[in-house]
Amino acid sequence: MTGHSRDELRGRQAASVLSETGDGTGVIHAKNGDAIAVRLRCADTPHGKVAAFAPVPRIDQIEQLKNELVGTVSHELKTPLAAIKAYTATLRDNPALYEDRRTEYLAIVEEQADRLSRLIEDLLLVTRVEGPQLLRRRIAVGLNEVIERAMAGVRLDPALHHIERPARNVMLSGDPDRLCDVFRNLLENAAKYSPDGGPIEIRAKETADRVVVEIADRGAGISKDDLPYIFDRFYRADSDLTRKTGGSGLGLSIVQALVRAHGGTVEARGRAGGGTVFAVTLPVRA
Ligand code: ADP
């Protein structure tokens, strides 16, 4: 980033290439005279001072992201709102509707309102994902507890989906709220992308320093062409199913950012016989 070679830097004062500007930010003074804005974290260690930094996204990248966000979000807001308006108008204008019709229309209104609130939750998370305060605390928490909480936020049709929980309650280390976001998103996708139903299996494997939690569904699967991109922001596979289900394409990018903030990884793979497996690997200790 500085444009200097290692030898040019050796023996120089750190402050000649990197200065702190406060509030977790700093500036790199590059060899060619450029001042590069960075996010900066410093720590004192027994061996000296350690500074970790990353470039702050450039304005044009932020501008592009903003445009993408506004485009996707306005589409995703309009669709459920249009349905809510249409069904409430029908209910208002037809007081004599049969009871079962009224119930059906109200269920649609509720479902679309849920879709809106999930989108808003995702948007709030995505703004936080970039900030330094992503993980508020890091404690030991049982996987089963996280899964129970995550499940409370997922709408499942028991006639279609049956959740198989891990046999043993393994311990995870992390921010329970954010881990809950991770598994809520993965479970929601497992249900959403298996419209014909099928079991959703949650498996946990422990090694000395890691826990691997797998969420496996028997759904539509992800094509080889889409697999490399599904964790990208706004990426959605181009299929009838994704068009029908709706979504912002933000969920998996949030999952990945949260898992990485914990020092872990997340991967997706296809399943013999159809379906998808998401494997979340987390360190056992912070
Ligand atoms: P969204 O669900 O809002 O589209 P995500 O970021 O959660 O966004 O997922 C990105 C894409 O990955 C989805 O549009 C879908 O094509 C694919 N996908 C995610 N989870 C699954 C799954 N369990 N089975 C099949 N496809 C999936």
Side-chain angles (χ1 to χ4, degrees):
M1 279 176 76
T2 64
H4 290 290
S5 72
R6 200 189 173 102
D7 286 336
E8 284 172 329
L9 287 175
R10 190 171 286 133
R12 277 176 59 177
Q13 288 286 329
S16 67
V17 274
L18 172 67
S19 43
E20 269 188 83
T21 44
D23 237 14
T25 58
V27 172
I28 296 272
H29 307 287
K31 190 176 177 178
N32 64 5
D34 281 356
I36 306 166
V38 289
R39 288 204 195 98
L40 180 66
R41 278 208 199 174
C42 297
D44 286 311
T45 75
H47 308 290
K49 195 163 175 145
V50 173
F53 49 86
V56 172
R58 295 211 330 260
I59 297 293
D60 51 353
Q61 287 171 328
I62 295 175
E63 194 62 27
Q64 188 196 348
L65 181 67
K66 196 187 77 188
N67 289 340
E68 274 181 297
L69 195 66
V70 170
T72 315
V73 168
S74 40
H75 171 78
E76 279 302 309
L77 288 172
K78 273 189 202 151
T79 317
L81 270 179
I84 290 173
K85 281 189 77 169
Y87 281 99
T88 43
T90 310
L91 285 163
R92 184 197 57 214
D93 297 340
N94 300 281
L97 268 184
Y98 286 122
E99 189 62 31
D100 54 351
R101 266 292 141 81
R102 295 182 70 82
T103 313
E104 183 195 335
Y105 290 178
L106 283 170
I108 295 173
V109 170
E110 196 181 356
E111 194 182 296
Q112 296 300 320
D114 280 345
R115 183 168 157 185
L116 279 177
S117 65
R118 269 201 304 271
L119 174 68
I120 290 165
E121 257 172 54
D122 277 355
L123 285 173
L124 290 176
L125 255 184
V126 97
T127 55
R128 245 187 285 151
V129 155
E130 290 296 320
Q133 293 302 322
L134 187 53
L135 306 185
R136 259 171 295 166
R137 56 199 175 132
R138 192 145 188 172
I139 56 172
V141 56
L143 173 63
N144 284 357
E145 190 192 317
V146 172
I147 300 233
E148 285 319 310
R149 273 188 53 201
M151 298 268 304
V154 183
R155 267 187 171 227
L156 283 181
D157 180 349
L160 275 180
H161 296 108
H162 159 74
I163 307 274
E164 288 175 23
R165 291 173 176 72
R168 229 161 47 78
N169 188 18
V170 301
M171 293 308 284
L172 307 175
S173 152
D175 181 331
D177 296 334
R178 301 289 81 85
L179 288 173
C180 181
D181 290 328
V182 166
F183 291 105
R184 179 176 53 81
N185 265 297
L186 293 177
L187 288 168
E188 209 162 74
N189 279 349
K192 192 160 100 172
Y193 297 112
S194 31
D196 299 330
I200 299 172
E201 293 157 57
I202 307 171
R203 301 185 285 244
K205 282 182 260 174
E206 259 176 307
T207 64
D209 58 348
R210 323 224 120 218
V211 178
V212 184
V213 184
E214 292 189 338
I215 313 256
D217 64 56
R218 282 281 173 211
I222 301 174
S223 79
K224 275 207 176 60
D225 294 342
D226 290 316
L227 216 42
Y229 306 109
I230 53 166
F231 292 100
D232 292 354
R233 255 184 197 170
F234 306 117
Y235 190 85
R236 309 196 70 217
D238 184 19
S239 71
D240 287 345
L241 182 56
T242 44
R243 272 188 291 278
K244 216 172 72 193
T245 54
S248 59
L250 287 172
L252 287 181
S253 70
I254 293 170
V255 165
Q256 187 176 55
L258 292 178
V259 172
R260 283 185 177 166
H262 280 89
T265 56
V266 53
E267 283 164 15
R269 61 173 195 269
R271 250 182 130 180
T276 312
V277 181
F278 280 87
V280 177
T281 305
L282 292 165
V284 178
R285 272 170 292 278

